[in-house]
Amino acid sequence: MNFWIILLIALGCATAVGASATRGEAKPNIIIIYADDLGYGDLGCYGHPSIRTPNLDRMAAEGMRFTDFYSAGEVCTPSRAALLTGRYPIRSGMCHNQFRVLRSKSKGGLPKEEVTLAELLRDRGYRTGMIGKWHLGHLPEHLPPQHGFDFYLGLPFSNDMMPTAEAPKGRAKFFAEKNEYWETPLLLGTRVLEAKPDQRTLTRRYTDEAVKFIRMNQKAPFFLYLAHTFPHVPLFASDQFHGRSPAGLYGDVVEELDWSIGQVLDQVRKSGLSGRTLVIFSSDNGPWLTYEHHGGSAGPLREGKGSTWEGGMRVPGIAWWPGRIPSGRIQREVGLTLDLFPTVAKLAGAPLSKTVLDGVDMSPLLFGTGTVNREPFLYYRGSTLYAARMGPWKAHFISQSAWGSDKPVFHDPPLLFHLGLDPGEKWNCAGTNAVVLAQIQAVVEKHRAGLVPVPTQLVETVGH
Ligand code: MG
């Protein structure tokens, strides 16, 4: 073969590699931004009348906004376990009917046998960083560095879990806007960086770290999991945002989060990475309605955080990847945080183990190339299955308000709602749709029969 033929072949290969990279087929960077207790109706692009979210609105306009995107947990700990493992929390023991989440004295955490997205991607050569609220076990053996993250800075659990001795009893401390009432520590890796960080600075500090992480890792593929502490109560915003929103303090906090997303996307653009970075924005559960004006809005959906009504688990879901995800698309198919694990694995070329996964590769939805076949989505409250969605139909086997003292109500036959006609779940139509109900019940029975019992991680405590 003469020199010119070899050169032409080499150039051809280089062009093919270049074209493949520009089409995003090289390993893409993955950024997941997770808000805490942000409701379905809390963003401008989801219809909020007074909270201003220009950066998330722009992200949606440049990418895809899901109308029916779900977290697989109704509260913090289970939803985060599901996000990182692609599995219903009942499979990992990260749920419990009474305790519901890990607490500041909990002994448990995400079992080491569970494979996280960070481990999957680190094995594929990714740099992995986590910034923000973890809530999957705060003892050293459970923290992000033990679950595949090269870098970690953040709070080990919710910002309300360690009130100080001087904080008033009951709900008053939540509305007092006093940082001195709270002492949830800020960790760097597995050590305490600050025992009592100023919560007004958290959104800004997380953002600065996220921007730095992107800048420092722009040459290698990276996975960044940015899990904001807010708008979980107690609410705090920095001076730059405090008192600015027409929607009060809750609006200030969400508008600062929106600023944060703008900073992250700007850094992706500045680093020249927008053509090979998938960014997902979502929330771990619905709004905490019992905190009144310090809680958010589920928009037209019923109930909020803690419940298996739509407002508890249907959350904002925005996906952004210029050049790959069609811009300005509204996606009305169901999407799940459970889908992120198999989707990202596919994009990174990572093989899946035999572990049961509950989501599907949602690339056809994201890239506008088709639909996906999925099993009905199951709504768990703690370790009990309350409801299931198949297509537009949702059956409730049990219902209960989110936080009240009411007991669960068992429904036989189940309640049935058509979420297309009735997103607020007002009109039970079980009487005329027996076939649909039977189909949903059959799938639920199959799921139950396939569950392998594991011990819950949420009960045992350390110390007193
Ligand atoms: Mg939450």
Side-chain angles (χ1 to χ4, degrees):
M1 217 182 293
N2 75 30
F3 169 77
W4 292 108
I5 293 173
I6 293 170
L7 183 66
L8 280 173
I9 291 170
L11 280 172
C13 290
T15 309
V17 169
S20 154
T22 50
R23 285 201 307 272
E25 284 160 12
K27 284 183 280 193
N29 304 307
I30 308 293
I31 301 177
I32 297 176
I33 307 174
Y34 216 33
D36 194 350
D37 297 1
L38 181 81
Y40 183 80
D42 280 335
L43 305 180
C45 53
Y46 280 84
H48 198 284
S50 49
I51 299 177
R52 300 165 301 191
T53 54
N55 292 293
L56 282 157
D57 300 350
R58 179 181 171 191
M59 181 182 174
E62 293 177 357
M64 178 173 284
R65 181 172 72 80
F66 282 77
T67 60
D68 293 48
F69 197 77
Y70 291 91
S71 169
E74 84 295 9
V75 287
C76 305
T77 295
S79 72
R80 285 150 205 272
L83 174 79
L84 288 184
T85 63
R87 288 150 60 75
Y88 285 116
I90 190 74
R91 298 194 195 279
S92 56
M94 295 297 279
C95 52
H96 189 266
N97 286 347
Q98 181 191 343
F99 294 108
R100 310 195 75 176
V101 296
L102 290 163
R103 291 136 293 131
S104 61
K105 292 189 169 49
S106 293
K107 193 174 174 187
L110 187 66
K112 63 180 186 319
E113 298 76 26
E114 293 292 322
V115 179
T116 68
L117 257 180
E119 288 167 322
L120 178 105
L121 292 172
R122 194 159 71 174
D123 285 351
R124 294 291 295 162
Y126 280 65
R127 282 277 301 164
T128 55
M130 197 224 146
I131 296 162
K133 169 172 154 176
W134 174 239
H135 216 173
L136 294 175
H138 70 279
L139 297 184
E141 63 269 29
H142 298 310
L143 287 169
Q146 272 64 51
H147 286 289
F149 287 101
D150 299 318
F151 175 82
Y152 170 53
L153 175 103
L155 305 192
F157 37 68
S158 303
N159 60 332
D160 66 337
M161 288 192 157
M162 291 181 67
T164 56
E166 66 262 32
K169 299 285 170 234
R171 288 161 60 87
K173 59 181 169 292
F174 287 93
F175 297 102
E177 288 190 55
K178 286 194 187 303
N179 181 62
E180 54 268 36
Y181 288 169
W182 310 96
E183 58 184 352
T184 303
L186 180 71
L187 307 188
L188 177 64
T190 55
R191 73 182 176 86
V192 174
L193 187 65
E194 292 169 26
K196 199 174 166 182
D198 183 343
Q199 293 204 17
R200 292 168 297 192
T201 68
L202 287 178
T203 299
R204 172 169 289 279
R205 294 174 77 177
Y206 290 172
T207 306
D208 291 347
E209 288 294 338
V211 165
K212 195 163 89 185
F213 182 86
I214 295 166
R215 220 174 39 227
M216 287 174 63
N217 293 293
Q218 50 193 310
K219 291 214 165 56
F222 65 80
F223 168 46
L224 172 61
Y225 172 37
L226 170 56
H228 275 291
T229 281
F230 299 113
H232 194 291
V233 292
L235 300 175
F236 289 103
S238 69
D239 288 346
Q240 196 192 334
F241 286 89
H242 189 268
R244 302 290 167 91
S245 172
L249 180 59
Y250 189 86
D252 295 340
V253 168
V254 175
E255 290 182 13
E256 187 162 19
L257 293 180
D258 178 75
W259 164 84
S260 170
I261 280 89
Q263 296 294 302
V264 169
L265 294 185
D266 274 354
Q267 187 57 50
V268 172
R269 291 187 192 98
K270 271 187 227 158
S271 297
L273 300 174
S274 51
R276 52 189 169 99
T277 303
L278 169 64
V279 185
I280 301 283
F281 174 83
S282 193
S283 175
D284 67 336
N285 50 251
W288 210 347
L289 299 175
T290 47
Y291 284 92
E292 300 161 11
H293 59 290
H294 282 212
S297 163
L301 307 179
R302 184 167 170 177
E303 267 280 10
K305 171 179 176 174
S307 111
T308 49
W309 296 103
E310 287 296 283
M313 296 172 74
R314 202 196 295 191
V315 286
I318 304 173
W320 182 90
W321 183 353
R324 284 305 300 276
I325 293 177
S327 61
R329 190 71 67 92
I330 293 175
Q331 180 55 266
R332 291 192 163 80
E333 297 281 324
V334 166
L336 307 177
T337 57
L338 289 169
D339 296 337
L340 296 177
F341 192 102
T343 305
V344 166
K346 177 80 178 302
L347 292 171
L352 294 175
S353 68
K354 291 202 183 70
T355 313
V356 175
L357 292 177
D358 291 302
V360 297
D361 171 15
M362 71 194 308
S363 307
L365 298 182
L366 290 178
F367 303 144
T369 55
T371 55
V372 296
N373 288 321
R374 62 165 74 253
E375 295 283 298
F377 172 60
L378 307 175
Y379 303 67
Y380 271 90
R381 177 184 171 120
S383 53
T384 305
L385 197 160
Y386 270 47
R389 173 174 179 170
M390 183 181 75
W393 300 99
K394 179 174 174 186
H396 289 260
F397 308 99
I398 309 173
S399 63
Q400 189 173 11
S401 69
W403 296 104
S405 55
D406 61 320
K407 295 267 183 288
V409 178
F410 292 79
H411 303 286
D412 187 15
L415 306 177
L416 187 72
F417 299 97
H418 186 289
L419 294 175
L421 297 170
D422 180 21
E425 298 173 281
K426 295 189 191 81
W427 306 301
N428 177 20
C429 54
T432 50
N433 293 286
V435 175
V436 171
L437 267 181
Q439 286 171 339
I440 297 177
Q441 280 172 305
V443 174
V444 166
E445 286 317 311
K446 192 175 136 211
H447 163 79
R448 286 203 169 107
L451 281 177
V452 178
V454 295
T456 179
Q457 296 291 318
L458 271 51
V459 174
E460 267 193 276
T461 55
V462 287
H464 47 89

